[in-house]
Amino acid sequence: MRNYILLLGLLVFILHPLFIFAQHCNQPDFYNSNNNITQENFNNLQELSIPVVIHLIYNESKENISDSLIANQINVLNQLYSNLITSQREAFRPITGSPKLSFNLTNTTKTKTNKISFNNGESLGVYDSPKYSHLGGVNSWNTNLYLNIWICNLDAPDQNIQSLLGYAFPPTLANDWDYTSFVSPERQGVVINYRCFLDSQYFNILAHEIGHYLGLKHIWGNSEYSCDNDDGIDDTPLSATPSYTCDFSKNTCNTGADDLPDMVENIMDYSPASCGKYFTYGQVQRMISNLVYLRPNLYTAEPGEDSVTIIEAFPNPSFGKFTVFLHTKEVPKSTLEILDLTGKIVYSTVFNNNKQLVEIPPEHYRHGLYILRLHNEKYCLTKKIQFLDR
């Protein structure tokens, strides 16, 4: 939601936040939601790779931006999401970190449209035209497997509508978001104004919108002019208003002796790219948690040659027992667990050596969503599963 963005909700359904690492994830402390991520366990984060599909939709030639500009923006995005440089301000150096995500451009489509602008004002959240070919846009690739990014004209078509730089929706069931913010699978992804690829002050907009896509809110909690609203992240200081400049003296919420100024250098503020380029550890924790649990098929990792490449549970959803199957030459000794959405382990068993198939009887869970987790000393894999009552 960046500068004048469409926001659709605040808080109804709560999913217990669990933090998980793709490597060394058998360490219990990483699953304890009461533990904050620190530099020590942040260093154990393994880089996760996300495939990206670009849908460029243009009406005028100026909107048909070049492949080199797209490649440059992907490079900037990777720099911001793998940034190992801490904030330049002393107050924020201990809490700035990187999610260590890499974005790999898989494909770019370019489509000419007869629409002058895709900015429909408030109806944008209803029609979401860039994502549908019959509305002048382009249909998404499988949003479970690819981060879809639509580049188009989001300028205001008339004086009664504000221009947009971009918008995105959080993962379904993401913590601290109202249910009205959750959208159907084909609408998952990021829409961004083509101008953000032309003006360097907007080079952090895509990173900002992907932050929303991974479940982050604005640092002022999406409710301006109030210090009572928060983004749900413990280590981002309270802020009452967006920042449109790099004003490091800004402090809109004085909380007393341990007060911190507004974190204008945070990517989830509205600050220009010259300063808005950092995440906090808490934001990293939230993004990785949402990625692993709510977008589990989106990313890949490289834990080693002996790793499991695919974990399957079928049938899914299931009315009875689940069968778990691993596609791999050999399975290292691993623990297979089922967790409910509070983080409680409701079932646990062990894979040994060449064992590749396990059947889990239904008495271990009731109707609802669960997380299937397989982990060992080298890596961890997760998958959403659902059990339905007959």
Side-chain angles (χ1 to χ4, degrees), residues 15 169-175 181-185 188 294-295 384:
L15 176 64
F169 298 98
T172 299
L173 303 184
N175 196 21
S181 300
F182 306 143
V183 297
S184 53
Q188 291 288 347
L294 302 181
R295 301 194 188 278
K384 285 189 294 185

Side-chain angles (χ1 to χ4, degrees), residues 311-313 322-326 336 351 356-358 360 372:
I311 180 172
E312 292 184 3
F322 280 103
T323 298
V324 179
F325 181 75
L326 306 178
L336 181 72
F351 272 91
Q356 294 177 300
L357 189 145
V358 168
I360 303 173
L372 179 69

Side-chain angles (χ1 to χ4, degrees), residues 71-142:
N72 178 69
Q73 185 63 216
I74 296 296
N75 288 337
V76 171
L77 181 64
N78 282 321
Q79 291 172 16
L80 293 174
Y81 273 83
S82 60
N83 187 3
L84 301 181
I85 304 174
T86 58
S87 171
Q88 298 302 305
R89 284 204 283 177
E90 183 66 32
F92 295 121
R93 285 179 187 173
I95 63 171
T96 52
S98 163
K100 294 187 179 179
L101 300 180
S102 67
F103 299 87
N104 298 316
L105 183 58
T106 301
N107 193 69
T108 300
T109 66
K110 296 189 177 184
T111 305
K112 188 172 176 59
T113 183
N114 59 5
K115 293 184 71 70
I116 297 175
S117 173
F118 284 90
N119 187 345
N120 301 320
E122 292 299 322
S123 64
L124 188 64
V126 178
Y127 296 107
D128 217 358
S129 300
K131 302 170 184 177
Y132 296 97
S133 58
H134 69 278
L135 296 176
V138 176
N139 293 337
S140 64
W141 285 29
N142 188 329

Side-chain angles (χ1 to χ4, degrees), residues 41 56 76 128 133 145 149 153 184 186 197 202 236 239 271 304 328 332 339 354 383:
N41 54 31
L56 175 60
V76 171
D128 217 358
S133 58
L145 303 178
I149 299 174
N153 189 338
S184 53
E186 76 276 6
F197 290 70
Y202 298 143
T236 55
S239 177
S271 309
T328 183
L339 297 82
N354 294 322
K383 187 178 185 67

